[in-house]
C-alpha cells in the first residue's frame, strides 16, 4: 500500500465528505446540515489521505477560541472530521494524520487542541485527555416541580421563531461565554449551528421552537426545544426535547425551566447536553427522578505545555515542578516549573527536581478544571514525588464552575 497525505482541494470537498459519511455508517446528512458544515469548514486545515487516487483517510480542524479557567480566550484547534476507511484500518494512517496535524497546530501557534470522540479510547495515545463531562436528563415532569425563586413571575416569556430570536440568543450567549471554561467563543457562521433541525434527526418531535425570557423589556435568557407529541390510554403523554437553555441570572434561568416543565400535553422532558453542575439539579425537588446519565464530552491536548499552562489562572497560589511525558510531541517532554494564582501564571523549563510526574494526557484532563490531579493519582496516572505537592496542585487546578462544551463540532 502506498498512500499520499495531502491538503484537501476545495473542489474535492463533496467526495471527501462522502467518504467521511461512509466511514461513520453511510447515512448522508440532510442537505442544509451538509451545506453548513461545508461553509464552516477550513479546507486548508483538512487532510486527504489517498490510495490510488481514492480518499481513504480524512481529518480536519476548526480555528476555535476556547475559554480557559480565569476567563482568558485561547486559540485552539478543534479537531474534527477524522475517519479511516474500513479497508485501511491498522496501517498507521490515523497516527500519521494526528502527527501531521499536531505539528500544524503548533506551527499555527495554537497552544491546545480539542475534540469530541466517537471512540474515546482512540485518542489517549495521542495525548488527549477527557477534560469535561456532559449530563443527560430524563425527567418525569408530572412528579417534579421547579422551585422558582422570588421574581420569577415577573419574567415575560415570548415564543418566537428560531430565526427571529437568533440575534437575542447570541447576545445572551456572548455575555455568558467567558464565565465558564470549556465554552467556545462563536466565530462567524457558528451561530447557525444551534438552528440546524433536520427532520430525519427529530425522532418524531416537531420543529424547533424558541422562547425568549425578558425582564423590563430586555432579553435575559432563552430556551430552544421541540415537543414530541404522544398519547396513551390515559391521555396526552408528550415529551419536551430541550436543546438549549441559557440565562443571565438565576431567576430567569428558573423561570425558563419552570416553563419547560409545564408545557401542556407533555409529561416528560429530556435534555442531552447539560453542564455537570447544572443549577437545574438544585431547582427540582427530587434529583433522583431526573434519571441522570454522565459521559465525557470535550477532550483536551496541550500542544505547547508551557504556553497553555501559563494562559489560565489557578484557584490558590501554586509553585510546582511537573515532569511531563509526551513521546508523541517530544518538544513537551521534561520538567516545567508552574507558578501562579488567581491573577495569572508562568510556566518555564527548569532543571529543578520534579514534584509531580505525569503525562500530557493527564494535564489535558485537568486543564479546564473538570477533573482533579488527586483523582488521577488515585488511578495511578499521576505520581507524587514531593509530599504535599499533589494536594496543593489538585486544589489550585480547580475551578468555580465545571467546564462545559455547549455544542459539538
Amino acid at each position: 500500500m502506498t498512500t499520499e497525505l495531502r491538503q484537501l482541494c476545495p473542489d474535492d470537498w463533496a467526495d471527501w465528505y462522502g467518504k467521511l459519511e461512509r466511514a461513520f455508517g453511510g447515512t448522508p446528512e440532510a442537505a442544509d446540515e451538509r451545506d453548513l458544515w461545508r461553509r464552516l469548514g477550513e479546507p486548508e486545515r483538512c487532510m486527504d489521505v489517498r490510495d490510488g487516487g481514492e480518499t481513504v483517510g480524512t481529518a480536519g480542524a476548526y480555528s476555535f477560541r476556547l475559554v480557559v479557567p480565569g476567563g482568558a480566550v485561547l486559540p485552539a484547534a478543534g479537531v474534527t472530521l477524522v475517519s479511516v476507511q474500513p479497508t485501511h484500518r491498522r496501517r498507521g494512517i490515523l497516527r500519521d494524520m494526528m502527527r501531521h496535524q499536531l505539528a500544524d497546530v503548533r506551527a499555527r501557534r495554537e497552544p491546545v487542541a480539542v475534540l469530541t470522540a466517537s471512540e474515546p479510547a482512540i485518542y489517549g495515545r495521542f495525548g488527549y485527555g477527557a477534560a469535561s463531562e456532559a449530563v443527560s436528563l430524563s425527567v418525569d415532569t408530572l412528579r417534579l416541580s421547579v422551585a422558582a425563586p422570588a421574581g420569577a413571575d415577573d419574567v415575560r416569556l415570548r415564543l418566537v421563531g428560531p430565526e427571529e430570536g437568533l440575534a437575542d440568543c447570541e447576545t445572551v450567549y456572548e455575555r455568558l461565554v467567558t464565565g465558564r471554561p470549556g465554552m467556545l467563543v462563536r466565530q462567524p457562521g457558528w451561530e447557525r449551528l444551534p438552528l440546524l433541525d433536520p427532520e430525519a434527526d427529530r425522532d418524531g418531535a416537531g420543529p424547533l421552537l424558541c422562547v425568549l425570557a425578558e425582564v423590563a423589556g430586555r432579553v435575559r435568557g432563552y430556551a430552544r426545544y421541540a415537543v414530541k407529541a404522544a398519547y396513551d390510554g390515559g391521555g396526552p403523554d408528550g415529551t419536551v426535547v430541550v436543546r438549549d437553555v441559557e440565562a443571565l441570572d438565576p431567576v430567569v434561568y428558573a423561570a425558563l425551566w419552570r416553563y419547560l416543565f409545564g408545557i401542556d400535553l407533555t409529561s416528560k422532558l429530556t435534555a442531552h447536553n447539560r453542564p455537570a453542575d447544572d443549577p437545574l439539579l438544585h431547582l427540582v425537588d427530587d434529583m433522583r427522578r431526573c434519571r441522570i446519565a454522565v459521559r465525557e464530552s470535550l477532550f483536551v491536548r496541550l500542544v505547547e505545555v508551557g504556553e497553555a499552562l501559563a494562559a489560565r489562572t489557578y484557584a490558590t497560589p501554586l509553585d510546582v515542578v511537573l515532569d511531563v511525558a509526551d513521546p508523541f510531541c517530544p518538544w513537551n517532554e521534561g520538567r516545567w516549573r508552574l507558578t501562579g494564582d488567581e491573577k495569572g501564571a508562568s510556566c518555564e523549563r527548569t532543571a529543578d527536581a520534579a514534584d509531580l510526574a505525569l503525562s500530557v494526557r493527564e494535564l489535558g484532563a485537568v486543564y479546564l478544571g473538570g477533573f482533579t490531579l488527586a483523582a488521577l493519582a488515585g488511578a495511578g496516572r499521576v505520581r507524587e514525588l514531593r509530599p504535599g505537592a499533589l494536594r496543593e496542585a489538585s486544589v489550585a487546578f480547580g475551578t468555580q464552575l465545571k467546564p462545559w462544551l455547549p455544542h459539538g463540532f
Side-chain angles (χ1 to χ4, degrees):
M1 181 189 73
T2 302
T3 59
E4 174 193 8
L5 190 157
R6 66 183 194 178
Q7 179 180 309
L8 175 64
C9 174
D11 291 342
D12 294 332
W13 174 273
D15 177 71
W16 182 86
Y17 199 81
K19 295 297 193 300
L20 172 76
E21 290 176 321
R22 186 170 72 181
F24 278 88
T27 303
E29 292 176 344
D32 57 344
E33 187 173 6
R34 178 185 269 236
D35 180 62
L36 177 62
W37 289 123
R38 179 163 191 166
R39 284 185 280 120
L40 294 175
E42 301 176 42
E44 70 279 8
R45 304 199 67 167
C46 293
M47 284 173 279
D48 184 7
V49 178
R50 297 205 163 198
D51 180 12
E54 181 180 356
T55 295
V56 296
T58 68
Y62 298 115
S63 302
F64 279 157
R65 298 173 65 208
L66 175 73
V67 178
V68 301
V73 178
L74 200 61
V79 176
T80 188
L81 307 171
V82 179
S83 74
V84 176
Q85 293 298 304
T87 53
H88 286 67
R89 293 176 66 245
R90 304 188 185 280
R91 302 188 188 185
I93 291 174
L94 178 61
R95 175 173 290 272
D96 289 346
M97 290 193 298
M98 293 293 99
R99 194 180 299 281
H100 180 89
Q101 185 178 66
L102 287 170
D104 180 68
V105 171
R106 188 188 189 204
R108 292 173 182 271
R109 302 190 62 81
E110 294 167 325
V112 301
V114 297
L115 57 80
T116 61
S118 56
E119 294 185 85
I122 291 175
Y123 292 95
R125 65 181 187 266
F126 305 126
Y128 288 87
S132 74
E133 295 174 308
V135 169
S136 295
L137 306 170
S138 180
V139 181
D140 179 352
T141 53
L142 294 182
R143 303 180 70 177
L144 278 181
S145 60
V146 172
D153 292 339
D154 298 325
V155 178
R156 180 186 179 227
L157 300 176
R158 182 163 58 94
L159 273 171
V160 298
E163 288 282 354
E164 180 186 349
L166 180 57
D168 285 320
C169 294
E170 285 303 298
T171 298
V172 171
Y173 183 91
E174 289 169 9
R175 291 184 60 182
L176 290 170
V177 67
T178 56
R180 185 185 285 273
M183 294 185 73
L184 301 173
V185 175
R186 297 240 221 260
Q187 302 289 72
W190 283 89
E191 75 281 357
R192 307 297 308 175
L193 185 61
L195 302 191
L196 276 181
D197 187 33
E199 189 169 353
D201 293 345
R202 293 178 186 170
D203 190 29
L208 187 66
L209 301 169
C210 178
V211 60
L212 301 179
E214 300 174 347
V215 177
R218 294 180 178 272
V219 175
R220 295 190 58 79
Y222 65 90
R224 296 188 182 106
Y225 67 98
V227 175
K228 183 177 181 180
Y231 294 84
D232 62 18
D237 189 33
T239 301
V240 179
V241 182
V242 176
R243 290 266 292 270
D244 302 296
V245 183
E246 299 288 357
L248 298 177
D249 62 72
V251 172
V252 172
Y253 194 69
L256 284 165
W257 280 109
R258 184 175 65 174
Y259 166 81
L260 293 166
F261 272 50
I263 291 175
D264 288 341
L265 307 180
T266 67
S267 59
K268 296 182 287 292
L269 176 147
T270 61
H272 296 294
N273 180 24
R274 302 303 306 159
D277 56 355
D278 195 330
L280 172 63
L281 301 177
H282 304 286
L283 287 169
V284 297
D285 50 12
D286 186 350
M287 192 186 300
R288 287 176 294 180
R289 294 195 181 278
C290 288
R291 294 181 61 189
I292 300 167
V294 181
R295 60 173 175 81
E296 78 286 331
S297 178
L298 188 67
F299 286 70
V300 172
R301 209 278 184 215
L302 304 194
V303 180
E304 292 284 3
V305 163
E307 187 176 350
L309 292 178
R312 56 157 292 178
T313 62
Y314 296 85
T316 56
L318 177 67
D319 185 355
V320 65
V321 175
L322 305 172
D323 189 359
V324 178
D326 189 359
F328 202 69
C329 294
W331 57 84
N332 287 324
E333 293 256 5
R335 281 170 280 173
W336 297 85
R337 178 174 290 279
L338 171 61
T339 59
D341 55 25
E342 62 182 7
K343 296 179 180 178
S346 66
C347 188
E348 304 290 343
R349 290 279 187 184
T350 184
D352 294 343
D355 301 318
L356 297 174
L358 71 174
S359 82
V360 74
R361 178 183 177 187
E362 282 67 59
L363 280 178
V366 302
Y367 182 66
L368 298 176
F371 298 95
T372 68
L373 286 164
L376 293 171
R381 292 171 54 185
V382 176
R383 289 187 297 120
E384 183 179 54
L385 306 177
R386 172 176 64 81
L390 178 63
R391 178 184 58 81
E392 295 166 10
S394 192
V395 172
F397 269 82
T399 54
Q400 183 176 4
L401 293 177
K402 292 286 189 180
W404 177 54
L405 177 69
H407 58 76
F409 53 88

